[in-house]
Coordinates of all heavy atoms in Angstrom, one line a residue:
A1 N -37.5 34.2 58.7 CA -38.7 34.8 58.1 C -38.5 34.9 56.6 O -39.5 34.6 55.9 CB -38.9 36.2 58.7
R2 N -37.4 35.3 56.1 CA -37.1 35.4 54.7 C -37.1 34.0 53.9 O -37.8 33.9 52.9 CB -35.8 36.1 54.4 CG -35.5 36.4 53.0 CD -34.2 37.2 52.9 NE -33.0 36.6 53.5 CZ -32.5 37.0 54.6 NH1 -32.9 38.0 55.3 NH2 -31.4 36.3 55.1
N3 N -36.5 33.1 54.5 CA -36.3 31.8 53.8 C -37.5 30.9 53.9 O -37.8 30.1 53.0 CB -35.1 31.0 54.4 CG -33.8 31.6 54.1 OD1 -33.6 32.1 53.0 ND2 -32.9 31.6 55.0
Y4 N -38.4 31.1 54.9 CA -39.5 30.1 55.1 C -40.8 30.8 55.2 O -41.8 30.1 55.4 CB -39.2 29.3 56.4 CG -37.9 28.6 56.4 CD1 -36.8 29.0 57.2 CD2 -37.7 27.5 55.5 CE1 -35.6 28.4 57.2 CE2 -36.5 26.9 55.5 CZ -35.4 27.3 56.3 OH -34.2 26.6 56.2
G5 N -40.9 32.1 54.9 CA -42.2 32.8 54.8 C -43.0 32.8 56.1 O -44.2 32.7 56.1
V6 N -42.3 32.8 57.3 CA -43.0 32.8 58.6 C -42.8 34.1 59.3 O -41.9 34.9 59.0 CB -42.4 31.6 59.5 CG1 -42.8 30.3 58.9 CG2 -40.9 31.8 59.7
E7 N -43.7 34.4 60.2 CA -43.6 35.5 61.2 C -42.8 34.9 62.4 O -43.2 33.9 63.0 CB -44.9 36.0 61.6 CG -44.9 37.2 62.6 CD -44.4 38.4 62.0 OE1 -44.5 38.6 60.7 OE2 -43.9 39.3 62.7
V8 N -41.7 35.6 62.8 CA -40.8 35.1 63.8 C -41.0 35.9 65.1 O -40.9 37.1 65.0 CB -39.3 35.1 63.4 CG1 -38.5 34.6 64.5 CG2 -39.1 34.2 62.2
L9 N -41.2 35.2 66.2 CA -41.2 35.8 67.5 C -40.1 35.2 68.3 O -40.1 34.0 68.5 CB -42.5 35.6 68.2 CG -42.6 36.0 69.7 CD1 -42.5 37.5 69.8 CD2 -43.9 35.5 70.4
A10 N -39.0 36.0 68.6 CA -37.8 35.4 69.2 C -37.8 35.7 70.7 O -38.1 36.9 71.1 CB -36.6 36.0 68.5
F11 N -37.4 34.7 71.4 CA -37.1 34.9 72.8 C -35.6 35.0 73.0 O -34.9 34.0 72.6 CB -37.7 33.8 73.7 CG -37.2 33.9 75.1 CD1 -37.6 34.9 76.0 CD2 -36.3 32.9 75.6 CE1 -37.1 34.9 77.3 CE2 -35.9 32.9 77.0 CZ -36.3 34.0 77.8
T12 N -35.0 36.1 73.4 CA -33.6 36.2 73.6 C -33.2 36.3 75.1 O -33.7 37.2 75.8 CB -33.0 37.3 72.7 OG1 -31.6 37.4 73.0 CG2 -33.6 38.7 73.0
W13 N -32.3 35.5 75.5 CA -31.8 35.4 76.9 C -30.4 35.7 76.9 O -29.6 35.6 75.9 CB -32.1 34.0 77.4 CG -31.7 32.8 76.6 CD1 -32.2 32.4 75.5 CD2 -30.5 32.0 76.9 NE1 -31.5 31.3 75.0 CE2 -30.5 31.1 75.8 CE3 -29.6 32.0 77.9 CZ2 -29.5 30.1 75.8 CZ3 -28.6 31.0 77.8 CH2 -28.5 30.1 76.8
P14 N -29.9 36.1 78.1 CA -28.4 36.5 78.2 C -27.6 35.2 78.0 O -27.5 34.4 78.9 CB -28.3 37.0 79.7 CG -29.7 37.3 80.1 CD -30.6 36.3 79.4
S15 N -26.9 35.1 76.9 CA -26.2 33.9 76.6 C -24.8 34.3 76.1 O -24.3 33.7 75.1 CB -26.9 33.1 75.5 OG -27.1 33.9 74.3
N16 N -24.2 35.2 76.7 CA -22.8 35.7 76.3 C -21.7 34.9 76.9 O -20.6 35.3 76.8 CB -22.7 37.2 76.5 CG -22.6 37.4 78.0 OD1 -23.4 36.9 78.8 ND2 -21.6 38.3 78.4
G17 N -22.0 33.9 77.8 CA -21.0 33.2 78.5 C -20.3 34.0 79.5 O -19.1 33.9 79.7
G18 N -21.0 35.0 80.1 CA -20.4 35.8 81.2 C -19.6 36.9 80.7 O -18.8 37.5 81.4
G19 N -19.7 37.3 79.4 CA -19.1 38.5 78.9 C -17.6 38.3 78.5 O -17.3 38.1 77.4
T20 N -16.7 38.3 79.5 CA -15.3 38.2 79.2 C -14.8 36.8 79.3 O -13.6 36.5 79.0 CB -14.5 39.1 80.2 OG1 -14.8 38.6 81.5 CG2 -14.8 40.5 80.1
L21 N -15.6 35.8 79.8 CA -15.2 34.5 79.9 C -15.1 33.8 78.5 O -15.9 34.1 77.6 CB -16.1 33.7 80.8 CG -16.3 34.2 82.2 CD1 -17.3 33.4 83.0 CD2 -14.9 34.1 83.0
T22 N -14.2 32.8 78.4 CA -14.1 32.0 77.1 C -14.0 30.6 77.5 O -13.8 30.2 78.6 CB -12.9 32.5 76.3 OG1 -11.7 32.3 77.1 CG2 -13.0 34.0 75.9
G23 N -14.1 29.7 76.4 CA -13.9 28.3 76.6 C -14.9 27.6 77.5 O -16.1 28.0 77.5
T24 N -14.4 26.7 78.3 CA -15.2 26.0 79.2 C -16.0 26.9 80.2 O -17.1 26.7 80.5 CB -14.4 24.9 80.0 OG1 -13.8 24.0 79.1 CG2 -15.2 24.2 81.0
A25 N -15.3 27.9 80.7 CA -15.9 28.8 81.7 C -17.1 29.5 81.1 O -18.1 29.7 81.7 CB -14.9 29.8 82.2
S26 N -16.9 29.9 79.8 CA -18.0 30.6 79.1 C -19.2 29.6 78.9 O -20.3 30.0 79.1 CB -17.5 31.0 77.7 OG -18.6 31.5 76.9
Y27 N -18.9 28.4 78.5 CA -19.9 27.4 78.3 C -20.7 27.1 79.6 O -21.9 27.1 79.6 CB -19.3 26.1 77.7 CG -20.3 25.1 77.3 CD1 -21.0 25.2 76.1 CD2 -20.5 24.0 78.1 CE1 -21.9 24.2 75.7 CE2 -21.4 23.0 77.7 CZ -22.1 23.1 76.5 OH -23.0 22.2 76.1
K28 N -20.0 26.9 80.7 CA -20.6 26.7 82.0 C -21.5 27.9 82.4 O -22.6 27.7 82.9 CB -19.6 26.4 83.1 CG -19.0 25.0 83.0 CD -18.0 24.8 84.1 CE -17.5 23.4 84.1 NZ -16.5 23.2 85.2
S29 N -21.0 29.1 82.1 CA -21.7 30.3 82.5 C -23.0 30.4 81.7 O -24.1 30.7 82.2 CB -20.9 31.5 82.2 OG -21.6 32.7 82.5
D30 N -23.0 30.0 80.4 CA -24.2 30.0 79.6 C -25.2 29.0 80.1 O -26.4 29.2 80.0 CB -23.9 29.8 78.1 CG -23.9 31.1 77.3 OD1 -23.6 32.1 77.9 OD2 -24.2 31.0 76.1
K31 N -24.7 27.9 80.5 CA -25.7 26.9 81.1 C -26.3 27.4 82.3 O -27.5 27.2 82.5 CB -24.9 25.6 81.4 CG -24.5 24.8 80.1 CD -23.8 23.5 80.4 CE -24.7 22.4 80.7 NZ -24.1 21.1 80.7
R32 N -25.6 28.1 83.2 CA -26.2 28.8 84.3 C -27.2 29.8 83.9 O -28.3 30.0 84.5 CB -25.2 29.4 85.2 CG -24.4 28.3 86.0 CD -23.5 29.0 87.1 NE -22.5 29.8 86.6 CZ -21.3 29.4 86.3 NH1 -21.0 28.1 86.5 NH2 -20.4 30.2 85.8
D33 N -26.8 30.6 82.9 CA -27.8 31.7 82.3 C -29.0 31.0 81.8 O -30.1 31.5 82.0 CB -27.1 32.4 81.2 CG -26.0 33.4 81.7 OD1 -26.0 33.7 82.9 OD2 -25.2 33.8 80.8
A34 N -28.9 29.9 81.1 CA -30.0 29.2 80.6 C -31.0 28.7 81.7 O -32.2 29.0 81.7 CB -29.6 28.0 79.8
K35 N -30.4 28.2 82.8 CA -31.2 27.7 83.9 C -31.9 28.9 84.6 O -33.1 28.8 85.0 CB -30.4 26.9 84.9 CG -30.1 25.5 84.5 CD -29.4 24.7 85.6 CE -29.2 23.3 85.2 NZ -28.6 22.5 86.3
A36 N -31.2 30.0 84.7 CA -31.8 31.2 85.3 C -32.9 31.8 84.4 O -33.8 32.5 85.0 CB -30.7 32.3 85.5
S37 N -32.9 31.5 83.1 CA -33.9 32.1 82.2 C -35.2 31.1 82.0 O -36.1 31.5 81.3 CB -33.3 32.3 80.9 OG -32.3 33.3 81.0
I38 N -35.2 30.0 82.7 CA -36.3 29.1 82.6 C -37.7 29.8 82.9 O -38.6 29.6 82.1 CB -36.1 27.9 83.5 CG1 -35.0 27.0 83.1 CG2 -37.4 27.0 83.5 CD1 -34.5 26.0 84.1
G39 N -37.7 30.5 84.0 CA -39.0 31.2 84.4 C -39.4 32.2 83.3 O -40.6 32.3 83.1
A40 N -38.5 32.9 82.7 CA -38.8 33.9 81.7 C -39.4 33.2 80.5 O -40.4 33.6 79.9 CB -37.6 34.7 81.3

């Protein structure tokens, strides 16, 4: 908003990689979260 003079409407989805997971497991979890958020 500040840099480009736009009004921002953000969609935020659960993308924490499963909370305690890291590395590949986290990345795979986020891809599942992304697919689960398609309908939203």
Side-chain angles (χ1 to χ4, degrees):
R2 181 174 60 251
N3 289 323
Y4 302 110
V6 292
E7 181 70 24
V8 178
L9 173 64
F11 171 68
T12 177
W13 51 285
S15 61
N16 69 315
T20 58
L21 299 176
T22 58
T24 299
S26 170
Y27 185 76
K28 286 183 174 179
S29 179
D30 257 31
K31 291 181 82 171
R32 286 193 294 271
D33 287 342
K35 284 188 175 180
S37 297
I38 292 166

